[in-house]
Amino acid sequence: MMLIFLLKSTACLTIFLAFYKLLLERESVHHFKRYFLLGAMVASFVIPNLVFVEYIDTVGPTMSSFSPNMDGLIEQPVPQHSVFDWQLLFWMIYVLGVVGFGLRFLANLSRIRLRIKKHPKFKDNFVTKVLLSQSLPPHTFLNYIFLNRKQYEENSIPQQVLLHEETHAKQRHSLDIIFIELVQVVMWFNPLIYFFKSSIKLNHEFLADNAVIKKEQNHSQYQNTILSYLSNETYQSVGIANAINYSSIKKRFTVMKTNTSKKSFVLRSFLLLPLTALLLFGFSEHRQIERESSFDQIIEMDLFENGMVALGNTTVHLNEVPKMLRQNYLQNYDAREIKVKINSLRPVHYNTITNVSQAIRTTGIDAIEVVAEEVVIDEAQFEENIPITSKTTLLNANQMTVVGNEVRSQQSATREEMKEYNALAKKYNDMDRDHMVIQKKEVMRLKEIYGKMSKKQRADAEPFPDFPSPPPAPPAPGATKPPMPPSAVKNIKEAKPVGPSNPPAPPVPPKPVEHIKKMAAKGATFMFNGKEITAKKAIEIVENNNKINIDSRGSKGENPIVRLSVDPIEIDN
């Protein structure tokens, strides 16, 4: 976490400093630049610590949300810890740096304090002038101006220099220096802090120069005065003081002649808005906190055939659901505080769910959840990702069946079934093919599980056993019966014909709705009471009426026709 904070704060410092160097440094808006530099430093440390929280309601999975089957546990590698603790070493180095720079800052304060204490001083208006015996250039700290005693008594210090130093004291530039020095103690390893420190001190000189020029109105004379002081200078002042010898003379002389227009200043100021927004978006932290939706009333209803709905102890048609909700619930609860949960133990079509949801929402209730064993949906209606809003019907389905050019199902064998299949398949694959002991129940179980498996499961599983061909048919009466090999008689407990040549037992007839789905996948034409209907309509009719008559004669051709009727279907002989 600390490393991420340092990286983010460094990035913010870099962007702010680049903005200052490119667009502001050489402009004459010195007071604005002063607060920009200080504010940029504070913002660079605050922005990475900002956390924008978004509360989202916890919702169940929608129709496109499925949990993958995990066939095994993934073993995570155990991290190897180094014997040497590098983190401890880095913290030790950091603490030593903080201590070193902290002692340096305290030493500078102590030197200033000793100069004030040991040398004569007198108060002049709002400043206190300290007369030094050392040959130091004039410098300022807080409201103290340090001057050479001999030069001051001889009146050899120009009034422009005194005004320059008084400006430092009057505008309290030393407070900025103390702030940047404390930041440097904590962030001593960050080189950008030194660049900010240099820019802040240079802008202080811009401010003092500007005050002198406004009063004297003589650029050339003031520039010559500065050059004379710098050329005769032999000693340096304390680092935390504002001294006339600090900063680039060339930049100061250039900025003295600059006059920034109001229009240019406003334009550059407005550029700060998108810059700050960019930094807030890119370097702050965004968290999503899930909160459970709380409802004062949860209404459960069961969905039956023919569009019937059980609400409480009453069974009504779905068209009457809004009326029941208004009479029994909405008189005591607000619609926003009610959630409707619909249960269906039988396959239900997506259109039925949509119709029920639309009927319920006419009452103002938006929170609807459907729990179904199987949902049938047309291919054109299927969506991979459904946006979750306050008016999204949450759907929990164990199986999704998509009807269209082909029928796609999410069903597959379970982990337990795969384990059972692999054990049985391995058992028969390891047997000698000529001396197999075959159990009919196990073979039927293998076929059942194999039929449930997906393509990927079949590819990953044990191959289906290669069972031997069934024994020859019994001889006709009177024919000589060939002797059976002793080994076969001894080992075979129960030999049942399982090969393809043996006619299988008649299959269990499929459910009507499954038959309609299968015929829909083949592209069949559906007729209801003599009129052609769509596959979707045929599925709805069969689902909602368990007494429908179905005629699939001729359905094995290229253009199969399936006839549905509520009346008995007559067969022409």
Side-chain angles (χ1 to χ4, degrees):
M1 294 296 293
M2 186 63 178
L3 178 60
I4 295 176
F5 166 76
L6 292 176
L7 292 175
K8 288 183 176 181
S9 62
T10 301
C12 292
L13 287 170
T14 303
I15 294 173
F16 277 127
L17 186 62
F19 181 86
Y20 176 80
K21 290 289 185 181
L22 293 174
L23 298 178
L24 294 178
E25 186 176 54
R26 295 181 181 273
E27 302 302 321
S28 59
V29 286
H30 308 307
H31 288 284
F32 177 79
K33 293 190 296 182
R34 177 186 182 186
Y35 295 113
F36 170 82
L37 288 169
L38 295 175
M41 290 197 64
V42 174
S44 297
F45 298 116
V46 171
I47 289 176
N49 287 315
L50 290 178
V51 179
F52 293 96
V53 178
E54 178 185 2
Y55 291 94
I56 57 175
D57 294 329
T58 57
V59 295
T62 61
M63 65 175 58
S64 57
S65 302
F66 297 100
S67 300
N69 291 328
M70 300 298 294
D71 294 332
L73 296 176
I74 301 176
E75 184 178 353
Q76 297 291 339
V78 179
Q80 299 295 328
H81 296 283
S82 175
V83 177
F84 189 79
D85 194 342
W86 290 98
Q87 187 176 10
L88 178 60
L89 175 63
F90 291 145
W91 276 109
M92 290 177 63
I93 295 174
Y94 170 74
V95 171
L96 288 175
V98 171
V99 171
F101 279 84
L103 292 176
R104 171 180 168 274
F105 175 66
L106 294 176
N108 286 333
L109 288 178
S110 178
R111 289 171 62 187
I112 292 288
R113 181 174 175 275
L114 287 176
R115 285 182 183 179
I116 296 172
K117 185 177 181 180
K118 289 184 177 181
H119 294 87
K121 50 188 172 293
F122 64 95
K123 194 166 185 178
D124 185 7
N125 294 327
F126 62 90
V127 297
T128 301
K129 295 179 179 179
V130 182
L131 303 180
L132 305 177
S133 57
Q134 300 101 314
S135 179
L136 292 175
H139 53 278
T140 305
F141 182 75
L142 297 178
N143 62 332
Y144 293 94
I145 299 178
F146 300 88
L147 304 169
N148 180 262
R149 181 173 183 176
K150 182 180 178 181
Q151 291 179 345
Y152 182 78
E153 291 175 350
E154 293 176 353
N155 292 325
S156 60
I157 301 177
Q159 288 298 318
Q160 295 171 328
V161 173
L162 293 176
L163 179 58
H164 181 102
E165 297 303 324
E166 287 176 1
T167 302
H168 285 312
K170 184 178 181 179
Q171 297 182 0
R172 301 183 183 276
H173 293 167
S174 295
L175 296 179
D176 300 356
I177 301 301
I178 293 175
F179 170 73
I180 189 66
E181 287 287 339
L182 291 175
V183 174
Q184 185 177 348
V185 170
V186 179
M187 306 292 290
W188 59 266
F189 54 87
N190 193 333
L192 291 174
I193 301 299
Y194 301 89
F195 288 108
F196 265 89
K197 180 179 178 180
S198 174
S199 297
I200 289 174
K201 284 194 171 185
L202 178 58
N203 191 63
H204 289 167
E205 298 305 312
F206 292 157
L207 287 165
D209 292 340
N210 188 58
V212 175
I213 292 172
K214 280 185 177 180
K215 186 173 183 179
E216 299 293 334
Q217 298 295 328
N218 193 332
H219 293 73
S220 300
Q221 182 181 355
Y222 179 58
Q223 291 174 359
N224 292 332
T225 300
I226 295 176
L227 289 173
S228 65
Y229 261 84
L230 293 177
S231 61
N232 295 328
E233 180 184 322
T234 56
Y235 299 96
Q236 297 294 326
S237 63
V238 177
I240 61 173
N242 291 101
I244 198 171
N245 63 313
Y246 193 85
S247 73
S248 171
I249 295 301
K250 183 178 180 180
K251 282 186 179 180
R252 289 174 63 181
F253 287 179
T254 302
V255 172
M256 285 180 193
K257 302 176 183 179
T258 303
N259 187 16
T260 303
S261 65
K262 185 176 180 180
K263 183 178 180 180
S264 176
F265 168 67
V266 172
L267 178 62
R268 294 166 193 267
S269 300
F270 272 115
L271 290 177
L272 274 177
L273 296 177
L275 177 67
T276 306
L278 177 65
L279 295 178
L280 283 172
F281 180 78
F283 299 107
S284 60
E285 186 177 354
H286 302 267
R287 293 180 186 172
Q288 286 187 340
I289 298 179
E290 293 185 350
R291 60 183 177 190
E292 294 185 359
S293 300
S294 57
F295 297 96
D296 292 343
Q297 180 70 20
I298 298 180
I299 304 172
E300 294 206 19
M301 58 178 64
D302 297 324
L303 189 61
F304 298 141
E305 297 179 355
N306 302 324
M308 303 301 291
V309 176
L311 183 58
N313 297 325
T314 308
T315 302
V316 297
H317 192 270
L318 64 89
N319 295 331
E320 301 179 33
V321 169
K323 180 181 178 181
M324 297 290 295
L325 291 174
R326 291 189 182 95
Q327 291 178 351
N328 300 336
Y329 300 96
L330 291 175
Q331 292 181 357
N332 300 322
Y333 297 95
D334 188 89
R336 293 170 297 180
E337 300 172 349
I338 297 178
K339 176 181 179 180
V340 176
K341 185 177 180 181
I342 305 171
N343 302 304
S344 178
L345 298 178
R346 52 180 290 278
V348 59
H349 198 274
Y350 179 78
N351 289 344
T352 304
I353 296 175
T354 303
N355 294 336
V356 174
S357 299
Q358 290 176 349
I360 294 173
R361 286 200 169 92
T362 60
T363 65
I365 299 174
D366 291 328
I368 303 173
E369 181 180 2
V370 178
V371 180
E373 189 67 27
E374 179 185 2
V375 174
V376 181
I377 184 172
D378 294 337
E379 187 174 24
Q381 296 174 314
F382 185 82
E383 297 180 29
E384 288 292 337
N385 296 301
I386 298 176
I388 299 176
T389 66
S390 60
K391 295 188 177 181
T392 300
T393 300
L394 305 179
L395 180 58
N396 297 304
N398 292 333
Q399 179 178 337
M400 295 293 300
T401 303
V402 182
V403 179
N405 295 330
E406 59 177 351
V407 179
R408 297 180 291 177
S409 175
Q410 299 293 337
Q411 187 177 12
S412 60
T414 64
R415 293 173 60 183
E416 290 73 16
E417 288 175 332
M418 289 300 300
K419 290 180 180 179
E420 182 183 359
Y421 171 84
N422 286 329
L424 291 174
K426 190 175 187 310
K427 169 185 174 182
Y428 285 104
N429 286 331
D430 292 342
M431 288 185 183
D432 185 357
R433 190 172 182 273
D434 296 330
H435 301 85
M436 276 190 172
V437 180
I438 302 173
Q439 299 291 334
K440 181 180 179 181
K441 290 183 180 180
E442 294 178 345
V443 175
M444 298 303 294
R445 184 59 176 162
L446 279 171
K447 288 184 177 181
E448 179 185 354
I449 300 176
Y450 192 80
K452 291 183 179 181
M453 291 161 55
S454 63
K455 291 183 179 180
K456 185 178 184 305
Q457 287 178 326
R458 292 180 181 180
D460 296 339
E462 286 278 337
F464 195 87
D466 182 17
F467 292 107
S469 300
T480 305
K481 184 176 180 180
M484 182 175 290
S487 58
V489 176
K490 185 182 298 184
N491 292 326
I492 295 182
K493 295 181 181 178
E494 181 181 1
K496 298 294 181 180
V498 296
S501 60
N502 189 35
V508 179
K511 295 181 180 179
V513 67
E514 294 178 355
H515 176 67
I516 296 299
K517 293 177 186 178
K518 183 177 180 182
M519 298 307 298
K522 293 182 178 181
T525 300
F526 294 91
M527 306 291 293
F528 179 64
N529 292 338
K531 295 182 180 180
E532 185 175 348
I533 60 174
T534 62
K536 179 178 71 174
K537 185 66 176 177
I539 293 175
E540 289 183 359
I541 292 172
V542 175
E543 282 185 336
N544 297 327
N545 194 336
N546 58 358
K547 297 182 180 180
I548 200 73
N549 297 303
I550 303 174
D551 180 14
S552 299
R553 289 174 296 166
S555 61
K556 296 183 179 180
E558 295 183 358
N559 299 309
I561 299 176
V562 179
R563 295 177 175 82
L564 308 176
S565 176
V566 295
D567 299 321
I569 299 176
E570 297 182 0
I571 301 176
D572 297 332
N573 294 327

PDB file of all heavy atoms in Angstrom, residues 155-167:
ATOM      1  N   ASN A 155      24.802  53.481   5.896  1.00  0.00           N
ATOM      2  CA  ASN A 155      23.727  53.728   4.928  1.00  0.00           C
ATOM      3  C   ASN A 155      24.117  53.325   3.504  1.00  0.00           C
ATOM      4  O   ASN A 155      23.741  53.985   2.525  1.00  0.00           O
ATOM      5  CB  ASN A 155      23.309  55.204   4.946  1.00  0.00           C
ATOM      6  CG  ASN A 155      22.631  55.597   6.243  1.00  0.00           C
ATOM      7  OD1 ASN A 155      21.914  54.792   6.828  1.00  0.00           O
ATOM      8  ND2 ASN A 155      22.862  56.825   6.683  1.00  0.00           N
ATOM      9  N   SER A 156      24.882  52.268   3.397  1.00  0.00           N
ATOM     10  CA  SER A 156      25.316  51.804   2.079  1.00  0.00           C
ATOM     11  C   SER A 156      24.387  50.727   1.499  1.00  0.00           C
ATOM     12  O   SER A 156      24.634  50.232   0.399  1.00  0.00           O
ATOM     13  CB  SER A 156      26.744  51.251   2.167  1.00  0.00           C
ATOM     14  OG  SER A 156      26.805  50.162   3.082  1.00  0.00           O
ATOM     15  N   ILE A 157      23.364  50.361   2.270  1.00  0.00           N
ATOM     16  CA  ILE A 157      22.399  49.375   1.772  1.00  0.00           C
ATOM     17  C   ILE A 157      21.297  50.128   1.043  1.00  0.00           C
ATOM     18  O   ILE A 157      20.600  50.962   1.649  1.00  0.00           O
ATOM     19  CB  ILE A 157      21.805  48.547   2.920  1.00  0.00           C
ATOM     20  CG1 ILE A 157      22.910  47.820   3.692  1.00  0.00           C
ATOM     21  CG2 ILE A 157      20.781  47.532   2.388  1.00  0.00           C
ATOM     22  CD1 ILE A 157      22.416  47.038   4.897  1.00  0.00           C
ATOM     23  N   PRO A 158      21.080  49.871  -0.245  1.00  0.00           N
ATOM     24  CA  PRO A 158      20.065  50.608  -0.997  1.00  0.00           C
ATOM     25  C   PRO A 158      18.663  50.344  -0.435  1.00  0.00           C
ATOM     26  O   PRO A 158      18.363  49.288   0.109  1.00  0.00           O
ATOM     27  CB  PRO A 158      20.191  50.048  -2.425  1.00  0.00           C
ATOM     28  CG  PRO A 158      21.553  49.446  -2.480  1.00  0.00           C
ATOM     29  CD  PRO A 158      21.840  48.946  -1.107  1.00  0.00           C
ATOM     30  N   GLN A 159      17.816  51.381  -0.598  1.00  0.00           N
ATOM     31  CA  GLN A 159      16.439  51.255  -0.143  1.00  0.00           C
ATOM     32  C   GLN A 159      15.688  50.159  -0.905  1.00  0.00           C
ATOM     33  O   GLN A 159      14.764  49.544  -0.380  1.00  0.00           O
ATOM     34  CB  GLN A 159      15.719  52.592  -0.320  1.00  0.00           C
ATOM     35  CG  GLN A 159      16.158  53.664   0.678  1.00  0.00           C
ATOM     36  CD  GLN A 159      15.857  53.254   2.116  1.00  0.00           C
ATOM     37  OE1 GLN A 159      14.793  52.709   2.420  1.00  0.00           O
ATOM     38  NE2 GLN A 159      16.823  53.516   3.001  1.00  0.00           N
ATOM     39  N   GLN A 160      16.081  49.921  -2.140  1.00  0.00           N
ATOM     40  CA  GLN A 160      15.436  48.852  -2.926  1.00  0.00           C
ATOM     41  C   GLN A 160      15.670  47.483  -2.294  1.00  0.00           C
ATOM     42  O   GLN A 160      14.776  46.629  -2.265  1.00  0.00           O
ATOM     43  CB  GLN A 160      15.969  48.870  -4.355  1.00  0.00           C
ATOM     44  CG  GLN A 160      15.606  50.131  -5.127  1.00  0.00           C
ATOM     45  CD  GLN A 160      16.322  50.199  -6.457  1.00  0.00           C
ATOM     46  OE1 GLN A 160      17.455  49.708  -6.590  1.00  0.00           O
ATOM     47  NE2 GLN A 160      15.677  50.821  -7.440  1.00  0.00           N
ATOM     48  N   VAL A 161      16.880  47.274  -1.763  1.00  0.00           N
ATOM     49  CA  VAL A 161      17.185  45.994  -1.112  1.00  0.00           C
ATOM     50  C   VAL A 161      16.387  45.854   0.182  1.00  0.00           C
ATOM     51  O   VAL A 161      15.846  44.786   0.498  1.00  0.00           O
ATOM     52  CB  VAL A 161      18.696  45.879  -0.855  1.00  0.00           C
ATOM     53  CG1 VAL A 161      19.016  44.636  -0.038  1.00  0.00           C
ATOM     54  CG2 VAL A 161      19.461  45.867  -2.166  1.00  0.00           C
ATOM     55  N   LEU A 162      16.296  46.931   0.935  1.00  0.00           N
ATOM     56  CA  LEU A 162      15.529  46.878   2.174  1.00  0.00           C
ATOM     57  C   LEU A 162      14.049  46.612   1.881  1.00  0.00           C
ATOM     58  O   LEU A 162      13.378  45.839   2.595  1.00  0.00           O
ATOM     59  CB  LEU A 162      15.694  48.195   2.942  1.00  0.00           C
ATOM     60  CG  LEU A 162      17.098  48.470   3.496  1.00  0.00           C
ATOM     61  CD1 LEU A 162      17.144  49.854   4.145  1.00  0.00           C
ATOM     62  CD2 LEU A 162      17.520  47.401   4.490  1.00  0.00           C
ATOM     63  N   LEU A 163      13.512  47.268   0.845  1.00  0.00           N
ATOM     64  CA  LEU A 163      12.120  47.027   0.473  1.00  0.00           C
ATOM     65  C   LEU A 163      11.908  45.588   0.024  1.00  0.00           C
ATOM     66  O   LEU A 163      10.869  44.970   0.324  1.00  0.00           O
ATOM     67  CB  LEU A 163      11.715  48.000  -0.637  1.00  0.00           C
ATOM     68  CG  LEU A 163      10.286  47.880  -1.163  1.00  0.00           C
ATOM     69  CD1 LEU A 163       9.275  48.074  -0.043  1.00  0.00           C
ATOM     70  CD2 LEU A 163      10.048  48.868  -2.293  1.00  0.00           C
ATOM     71  N   HIS A 164      12.896  45.036  -0.685  1.00  0.00           N
ATOM     72  CA  HIS A 164      12.835  43.646  -1.120  1.00  0.00           C
ATOM     73  C   HIS A 164      12.699  42.705   0.075  1.00  0.00           C
ATOM     74  O   HIS A 164      11.833  41.803   0.092  1.00  0.00           O
ATOM     75  CB  HIS A 164      14.097  43.321  -1.930  1.00  0.00           C
ATOM     76  CG  HIS A 164      14.150  41.935  -2.459  1.00  0.00           C
ATOM     77  ND1 HIS A 164      13.874  41.607  -3.762  1.00  0.00           N
ATOM     78  CD2 HIS A 164      14.455  40.741  -1.855  1.00  0.00           C
ATOM     79  CE1 HIS A 164      14.012  40.315  -3.957  1.00  0.00           C
ATOM     80  NE2 HIS A 164      14.370  39.765  -2.798  1.00  0.00           N
ATOM     81  N   GLU A 165      13.532  42.924   1.103  1.00  0.00           N
ATOM     82  CA  GLU A 165      13.503  42.053   2.281  1.00  0.00           C
ATOM     83  C   GLU A 165      12.241  42.283   3.115  1.00  0.00           C
ATOM     84  O   GLU A 165      11.684  41.344   3.685  1.00  0.00           O
ATOM     85  CB  GLU A 165      14.748  42.290   3.133  1.00  0.00           C
ATOM     86  CG  GLU A 165      16.056  41.951   2.433  1.00  0.00           C
ATOM     87  CD  GLU A 165      16.097  40.512   1.948  1.00  0.00           C
ATOM     88  OE1 GLU A 165      15.563  39.625   2.644  1.00  0.00           O
ATOM     89  OE2 GLU A 165      16.647  40.272   0.852  1.00  0.00           O
ATOM     90  N   GLU A 166      11.791  43.534   3.181  1.00  0.00           N
ATOM     91  CA  GLU A 166      10.561  43.808   3.926  1.00  0.00           C
ATOM     92  C   GLU A 166       9.353  43.108   3.275  1.00  0.00           C
ATOM     93  O   GLU A 166       8.425  42.697   3.971  1.00  0.00           O
ATOM     94  CB  GLU A 166      10.331  45.325   3.992  1.00  0.00           C
ATOM     95  CG  GLU A 166      11.281  46.039   4.935  1.00  0.00           C
ATOM     96  CD  GLU A 166      11.090  47.546   4.909  1.00  0.00           C
ATOM     97  OE1 GLU A 166      10.192  48.013   4.155  1.00  0.00           O
ATOM     98  OE2 GLU A 166      11.805  48.239   5.636  1.00  0.00           O
ATOM     99  N   THR A 167       9.397  42.982   1.957  1.00  0.00           N
ATOM    100  CA  THR A 167       8.308  42.277   1.265  1.00  0.00           C
ATOM    101  C   THR A 167       8.279  40.804   1.667  1.00  0.00           C
ATOM    102  O   THR A 167       7.199  40.227   1.879  1.00  0.00           O
ATOM    103  CB  THR A 167       8.477  42.406  -0.258  1.00  0.00           C
ATOM    104  OG1 THR A 167       8.503  43.786  -0.616  1.00  0.00           O
ATOM    105  CG2 THR A 167       7.336  41.713  -0.989  1.00  0.00           C
TER     106      THR A 167
END
